[in-house]
Amino acid sequence: MEMSKGKVWLVGAGPGEIGLLTQKAITVIEQADFIAYDALIGEEILCMLPEDAEKVSVGKRSGRYSVSQEKTNQILLEEALKGKKVVRLKGGDPFVFGRGGEELELLVQYGIPFEVVPGVTSAVAVPAYAGIPVTHRDFTSSFHVITGHPRKDGKDRIDYDALVRMDATLVFLMGVGSMGMIMENLMKAGMDPKMPAAVLERGTQYRQRKVISTVDCLERDSKDAKIQAPAVIVVGRVCTLSELFAWYEKRELAQMQIIVTRSRKKASKLTAQLRESGAEVLELPMIDTTAIALEQIRLDELFDEPAGRELWLTFTSPVGVETFFSVTLPSLGKDIRSVLRKGADVRFAAVGEATAKELEKYGWMTDVVPEVYNGRELGKALVRTARKDAKVYLLHARQGSEELKEELKRADLAYEDIAIYETICRQDSPWADMVKDKINQGLIDWVTFTSASTVRGFVQTMDGMDFCKVPALCIGEQTAAEARKYHMKIEISDRATIASMVEKLKELHAKQEV
Ligand code: SAH
């Protein structure tokens, strides 16, 4: 009987920025069992690769091969033969100088099914991010993509005479090392030495850089600017548009790289807002939340409160609300009517705006939200608002806010402390070493912390690093207090909201630029 064969998807990941990944690429990646990825894959994308897929770097950078092409082909075949869904993730488009063809040959030979998912090629996208349209009716009617790294056996020798004759936009990939020779050859073939030319480094990724020059000076100017691979070289009059059409650098958080440490599920809002403003965001979830097993939750009293008693269902996070209404109550076979049954007077309290919004989703208006979003203020607000004989049900995380309980105790307000979910620190990010290196080199602008537990998770994951170097943006005083223990460089958002954190980052960025 034939072994069940897997399948291989040859997927283009685009030039770096996660937003340039196609919808199809995302779908395929999410379903992968095994992912073999290149050195050119953007860090934003690496950090979103599914946790349960096996991930192998077959990194290739000009000249340095960590895994040979033959070995890569072999790996794809072996994993597919095991019956796995294999994703071969390549920079840009897999068929544009990606040796994608070679990787398919062995699969064809063995009859392994495969699909190709085209990607956004750097040849077009990198110029676009530098304000250079590869064609423009006033300047050129065609563009050509050329390797700057021809084969040693001369099989793909470049016909410079033909290139110059076409009077087109020329885009060279893999050309940083041979830039001098390329420019020389163009001029020898009759190109005007003053023809505009550009070299575009790390396009679409944070700290992308461009050098705009002319064919005779590009190599010198590029060396002066210490341009390194990966970079795209563009030759042609369209390069003069680069100033006029520059847009990338103009966004409020352009050129920043920011780490988001909240749990993956909750990260999306912060991440989306930061990316919208131009930042590159690495999602490194440092915590997870899980509902606490029902046997450990004692809620019976809640359903048995006497008529007329004022009950405060109190939540200190959106996760708490979601867990209570989507997990805790349903798994007890109950809903809110069970609480109201005996005629209790039910009120809702939330620590902040996001928690109140979550309550709204379930159809409940919130009666109390403190001015300042933290546990102590919520406690004070409850004390001010609740009747003396009311009872507060704290439906929150294990090790929930002590300050909140202190306030209630001090005012002698009755409460039940009911942990319905748990926050677990994670210590297993596959990207921890990469991130440590980057922080040490000062390449991460901010690490955002949205709770003390994210700080604890980060510290455990990044064990052994010098935390003094961590630029920490904290959501509030309590989070900052945790970060201070490790002597991080701390800033605090004005309010304990995601929007306020984003505002703070914009402020800090604007200051940095002055
Ligand atoms: N298949 C890829 C190209 C692979 S060849 C694509 O379609 O984009 C590798 C070359 O691509 C690099 O040497 C560089 O010239 C270019 N390149 C890829 N990503 C880049 C980026 N983010 N910025 C600048 N150049 C890039």
Side-chain angles (χ1 to χ4, degrees):
M1 205 174 67
E2 194 180 331
M3 257 169 80
S4 82
K5 278 180 204 154
K7 184 165 171 175
V8 177
W9 282 263
L10 190 59
V11 180
E17 186 185 302
I18 196 166
L20 297 177
L21 208 55
T22 64
Q23 191 63 53
K24 181 152 186 190
I26 295 170
T27 308
V28 169
I29 288 169
E30 275 167 0
Q31 292 167 7
D33 303 311
F34 184 94
I35 302 175
Y37 62 91
D38 271 359
L40 278 177
I41 305 304
E43 290 164 355
E44 277 188 326
I45 296 172
L46 287 183
C47 291
M48 66 69 82
L49 296 181
E51 284 171 22
D52 46 4
E54 190 179 342
K55 296 174 278 288
V56 174
S57 161
V58 289
K60 251 184 253 171
R61 272 257 154 101
S62 65
R64 282 184 293 146
Y65 288 90
S66 54
V67 178
S68 70
Q69 186 65 56
E70 291 66 35
K71 177 88 181 141
T72 302
N73 302 348
Q74 199 63 39
I75 293 174
L76 299 182
L77 175 67
E78 278 167 17
E79 295 302 321
L81 282 173
K82 289 182 199 161
K84 292 189 182 166
K85 289 186 186 146
V86 178
V87 165
R88 172 69 178 106
L89 197 57
K90 300 172 79 75
D93 179 273
F95 281 170
V96 177
F97 300 127
R99 305 184 73 171
E102 292 166 53
E103 294 180 4
L104 295 185
E105 279 158 20
L106 197 62
L107 304 178
V108 170
Q109 205 179 315
Y110 280 80
I112 306 280
F114 63 84
E115 284 186 35
V116 180
V117 182
V120 173
T121 180
S122 63
V124 176
V126 171
Y129 270 56
I132 301 175
V134 288
T135 71
H136 187 293
R137 293 215 306 176
D138 295 344
F139 298 112
T140 175
S141 54
S142 70
F143 72 97
H144 304 268
V145 183
I146 306 137
T147 174
H149 196 247
R151 281 162 63 143
K152 291 207 178 67
D153 61 13
K155 268 197 184 148
D156 55 352
R157 207 184 60 79
I158 295 160
D159 184 346
Y160 283 96
D161 292 328
L163 289 180
V164 172
R165 218 176 314 123
M166 279 183 299
D167 194 22
T169 303
L170 306 178
V171 179
F172 291 90
L173 302 188
M174 300 178 281
V176 174
S178 49
M179 194 184 312
M181 189 193 77
I182 296 170
M183 297 303 130
E184 196 66 32
N185 284 332
L186 287 172
M187 288 186 288
K188 265 195 214 149
M191 183 171 275
D192 178 359
K194 291 300 167 202
M195 175 65 82
V199 56
L200 315 169
E201 183 189 69
R202 294 176 52 82
T204 81
Q205 303 184 21
Y206 82 111
R207 295 180 194 204
Q208 78 165 35
R209 296 197 298 157
K210 65 180 174 190
V211 171
I212 310 291
S213 177
T214 49
V215 167
D216 58 344
C217 298
L218 187 68
E219 190 193 15
R220 186 199 64 202
D221 293 348
S222 166
K223 282 203 169 124
D224 286 351
K226 298 197 167 59
I227 294 290
Q228 286 178 5
V232 166
I233 298 169
V234 186
V235 176
R237 286 189 294 278
V238 286
C239 294
T240 57
L241 295 167
S242 171
E243 260 328 286
L244 186 66
F245 291 163
W247 59 272
Y248 178 89
E249 300 80 359
K250 294 187 176 159
R251 292 170 307 162
E252 283 171 294
L253 295 178
Q255 308 293 45
M256 291 194 109
Q257 197 177 41
I258 296 167
I259 291 182
V260 166
T261 55
R262 4 176 53 182
S263 66
R264 175 105 41 212
K265 213 165 88 200
K266 288 177 73 185
S268 54
K269 192 169 141 207
L270 176 56
T271 301
Q273 289 189 20
L274 295 175
R275 283 185 182 148
E276 237 171 72
S277 304
E280 181 165 312
V281 181
L282 305 187
E283 278 190 359
L284 287 181
M286 295 297 170
I287 54 168
D288 249 340
T289 52
T290 52
I292 286 176
L294 276 186
E295 338 30 296
Q296 296 178 40
I297 303 179
R298 293 210 324 274
L299 263 179
D300 306 346
E301 259 181 65
L302 176 63
F303 308 118
D304 212 22
E305 293 288 357
R309 176 131 203 215
E310 197 177 277
L311 295 185
W312 286 87
L313 302 189
T314 301
F315 297 93
T316 56
S317 71
V319 184
V321 176
E322 195 199 335
T323 308
F324 186 68
F325 289 105
S326 302
V327 184
T328 319
L329 280 186
S331 47
L332 287 167
K334 308 221 183 244
D335 62 24
I336 201 79
R337 286 170 304 177
S338 321
V339 183
L340 298 170
R341 195 168 43 102
K342 293 201 167 167
D345 179 6
V346 174
R347 312 282 170 103
F348 288 96
V351 73
E353 164 186 300
T355 307
K357 276 232 175 78
E358 189 70 22
L359 274 166
E360 220 178 288
K361 278 194 208 159
Y362 289 91
W364 309 113
M365 301 297 282
T366 304
D367 303 282
V368 159
V369 182
E371 288 272 314
V372 176
Y373 301 162
N374 65 39
R376 183 171 305 285
E377 293 303 318
L378 175 59
K380 285 186 184 158
L382 276 167
V383 168
R384 272 197 309 274
T385 322
R387 277 170 45 173
K388 292 279 161 287
D389 59 350
K391 185 151 163 202
V392 177
Y393 279 88
L394 298 175
L395 302 162
H396 58 170
R398 210 192 288 289
Q399 292 132 9
S401 164
E402 285 305 319
E403 286 90 349
L404 169 53
K405 284 183 261 176
E406 268 169 32
E407 292 300 323
L408 301 181
K409 257 184 236 164
R410 213 160 45 179
D412 233 355
L413 197 54
Y415 70 87
E416 291 284 339
D417 183 359
I418 298 173
I420 55 173
Y421 71 95
E422 209 158 10
T423 303
I424 339 164
C425 290
R426 316 187 11 161
Q427 316 168 9
D428 54 349
S429 172
W431 315 111
D433 285 338
M434 171 180 99
V435 170
K436 274 186 208 173
D437 269 1
K438 294 182 65 110
I439 293 176
N440 279 328
Q441 292 175 49
L443 291 174
I444 300 285
D445 295 285
W446 292 101
V447 183
T448 58
F449 293 111
T450 45
S451 66
S453 55
T454 58
V455 178
R456 285 191 288 272
F458 182 84
V459 168
Q460 286 177 24
T461 309
M462 300 293 163
D463 186 34
M465 82 163 292
D466 178 5
F467 292 110
C468 302
K469 290 196 170 154
V470 176
L473 175 68
C474 299
I475 198 166
E477 200 35 64
Q478 232 176 308
T479 306
E482 191 68 26
R484 235 172 250 126
K485 291 185 195 160
Y486 305 95
H487 309 288
M488 296 181 184
K489 293 185 274 187
I490 295 167
E491 290 282 346
I492 307 175
S493 58
D494 297 338
R495 284 165 61 82
T497 63
I498 295 303
S500 178
M501 287 185 91
V502 175
E503 277 317 306
K504 189 78 187 181
L505 285 169
K506 288 179 183 169
E507 237 173 72
L508 291 164
H509 189 38
K511 259 194 233 155
Q512 237 174 28
E513 286 193 326
V514 175

